[in-house]
Amino acid sequence: MNEGFPDQDWYLYDWPFFEQAHHDLAQRARDWVAARADQPHDADFAAHCRSIVASLGKAGLLEAAVPQPDEPFDARSLCVLREVLTYEDALYDALFAMQGIGTLAIRNHGTAEQKERYLPGCRDGSRVAAFALTEPDGGSDVAATATMARETDDGWVIDGRKTLISNGGFADQYMVVARTGEAPGARGLSVFLVDADAPGISFGEPIEFIAEHPAAPVNFDECRVPASALLGERGKGFSVAMGAFDVFRPSVGAAGVGLARRAMAEALKRVRERTLFGQSMAEQQGVQMMVADMAGDLDTAALSVYRAAWIHDVRGDLTPYAASMAKLVASEAAGRIVDKAVQLSGGAGVTRGNLVEKLYREVRAMRIYEGASEIQKLIVGRGLLKGNARP
């Protein structure tokens, strides 16, 4: 590093968005990552994932995703942690994030009994959360949900199929979006909390993605849950479910920033050490311009992410425009940065086992999950045209 800059490969930006607590949290996360590096990878992938969640909980890091009842939700802390964790391993980030995505609606809409039943265990890592939303024929169209829930004398019966469900098969609880029929489309949905041992719930084989990620189909066949399983108001499930994504979308961008920063670090190391045509790659103008493009994307992505998080924490608001812009800009920028890192790495960048190749596989999904880039563009564009947002 040049004089005046930290001598470590990752450090929190010295920006006015952050308070000392965020710098302290980043260091705690870095310490956890360093300690975790010596842990063996359990051959049982589900057990490995659960051990990561338990370790995150023991370190107190899950409190940023599942805050204590009397603590406000701090989006900057969430983003800082997702950036640190993804810099090291996208799997760490995925498991951390799902604890929050699978519980935020409980915090915001749950009864006292539901909060007491589910939140403490998800906070300390003894329980694993999941959010059963996506369906085989639904994709990004939540209003097309076909899973049905019908009311009975003693509760509800759920029938339907969900797919691509993170933590599917080993989570302890599932937040399930189902159609209860009060109105067509998004107005006729409700959310239910379904335990993994509920009668009628079953799980398909784990889904293999291009990058390591725990997910499986979740099936509901005459799945019976008590009346107390309803989360929030009946028929208001769309807003209950989507509220979590509005808060977590900037943090997806933060994960993209972390992954992009790792790709940038690997690329800089490569070009500083590599000689090409008798000259250091670092001295070649074409390489210098490519690195500058990567840096421009990275700065823009990080600023978009932490602006959105700051708006939430300081102004008490997280507009759909800011959240979607952060997710859109950062996930797209991360893809471009990693792609350039692959190009600068040459054959090594597409060789299985190389870190940059791993990052290339991991970054692609960020433009799809928690709302594809096209959905974010619609939110941003509509907000501008309706006068509800401005750059």
Side-chain angles (χ1 to χ4, degrees):
M1 286 286 183
N2 292 332
E3 185 178 355
F5 287 85
D7 59 2
Q8 60 203 62
D9 55 355
W10 191 97
Y11 56 92
L12 188 60
Y13 303 91
D14 187 18
W15 286 347
F17 294 124
F18 303 114
E19 300 168 11
Q20 185 58 46
H22 299 115
H23 291 274
D24 294 342
L25 181 62
Q27 186 57 53
R28 284 174 52 203
R30 291 293 285 169
D31 292 342
W32 179 87
V33 165
R36 186 74 195 180
D38 297 328
Q39 297 293 319
H41 193 308
D42 196 311
D44 182 333
F45 187 49
H48 178 61
C49 291
R50 291 192 66 98
S51 74
I52 291 171
V53 173
S55 181
L56 287 166
K58 185 177 180 180
L61 298 179
L62 290 178
E63 292 197 3
V66 192
Q68 295 284 349
D70 57 344
E71 292 291 328
F73 193 95
D74 190 82
R76 287 170 295 175
S77 294
L78 184 69
C79 289
V80 165
L81 285 177
R82 294 198 68 175
E83 184 180 338
V84 173
L85 295 174
T86 308
Y87 187 96
E88 181 64 25
D89 193 328
L91 180 61
Y92 292 164
D93 167 67
L95 292 164
F96 167 80
M98 277 311 306
Q99 291 296 96
I101 294 171
T103 58
L104 185 59
I106 302 174
R107 174 183 168 91
N108 291 341
H109 302 279
T111 63
E113 180 182 359
Q114 289 170 335
K115 293 177 182 179
E116 179 60 30
R117 177 178 174 81
Y118 294 107
L119 296 184
C122 290
R123 185 181 304 116
D124 67 26
S126 61
R127 294 184 67 91
V128 173
F131 189 2
L133 175 65
T134 304
E135 298 191 353
D137 298 323
S140 297
D141 187 4
V142 179
T145 294
T147 296
M148 300 293 297
R150 69 178 189 276
E151 194 170 12
T152 64
D153 291 339
D154 58 352
W156 296 86
V157 176
I158 304 173
D159 284 285
R161 301 287 180 269
K162 302 288 185 177
T163 191
L164 304 172
I165 304 306
S166 295
N167 297 345
F170 66 86
D172 296 287
Q173 66 207 46
Y174 295 83
M175 193 162 66
V176 182
V177 178
R179 184 164 300 286
T180 46
E182 291 76 15
R187 293 175 294 171
L189 302 175
S190 298
V191 177
F192 299 89
L193 295 172
V194 181
D195 292 336
D197 59 358
I201 189 173
S202 62
F203 312 97
E205 291 297 315
I207 298 169
E208 291 191 21
F209 297 99
I210 60 175
E212 188 177 54
H213 182 86
V218 182
N219 306 312
F220 303 92
D221 296 290
E222 293 284 313
C223 179
R224 295 183 176 275
V225 296
S228 60
L230 178 65
L231 177 61
E233 293 184 50
R234 174 175 175 166
K236 300 295 180 63
F238 185 84
S239 60
V240 170
M242 291 301 102
F245 292 117
D246 286 342
V247 172
F248 272 81
R249 273 177 180 151
S251 75
V252 179
V257 169
L259 197 149
R261 288 183 71 178
R262 185 59 181 269
M264 183 83 171
E266 294 299 314
L268 291 175
K269 179 181 178 182
R270 169 83 174 183
V271 302
R272 286 167 177 161
E273 297 175 349
R274 181 83 166 169
T275 298
L276 197 62
F277 303 117
Q279 182 186 32
S280 167
M281 286 184 69
E283 295 176 358
Q284 297 177 14
Q285 289 185 346
V287 170
Q288 292 168 358
M289 287 187 284
M290 188 178 293
V291 168
D293 286 339
M294 295 168 73
D297 265 338
L298 188 53
D299 271 3
T300 303
L303 285 165
S304 294
V305 165
Y306 289 111
R307 176 189 68 167
W310 180 87
I311 288 173
H312 175 277
D313 297 341
V314 177
R315 293 186 178 176
D317 180 36
L318 183 57
T319 64
Y321 175 89
S324 291
M325 184 62 81
K327 202 270 185 185
L328 172 65
V329 168
S331 62
E332 293 285 343
R336 292 190 295 270
I337 292 167
V338 175
D339 186 75
K340 287 183 174 65
V342 171
Q343 196 72 13
L344 289 169
S345 299
V350 290
T351 301
R352 179 73 73 164
N354 183 281
L355 177 56
V356 172
E357 181 271 340
K358 176 176 177 284
L359 297 175
Y360 191 66
R361 288 183 285 109
E362 290 175 339
V363 76
R364 186 59 184 86
M366 291 181 175
R367 291 157 57 192
I368 298 174
Y369 66 73
E370 294 188 40
S373 291
E374 291 76 13
I375 298 298
Q376 308 314 314
K377 289 179 181 179
L378 289 175
I379 294 172
V380 169
R382 288 171 179 171
L384 289 170
L385 292 170
K386 291 180 179 179
N388 298 328
R390 62 182 181 182

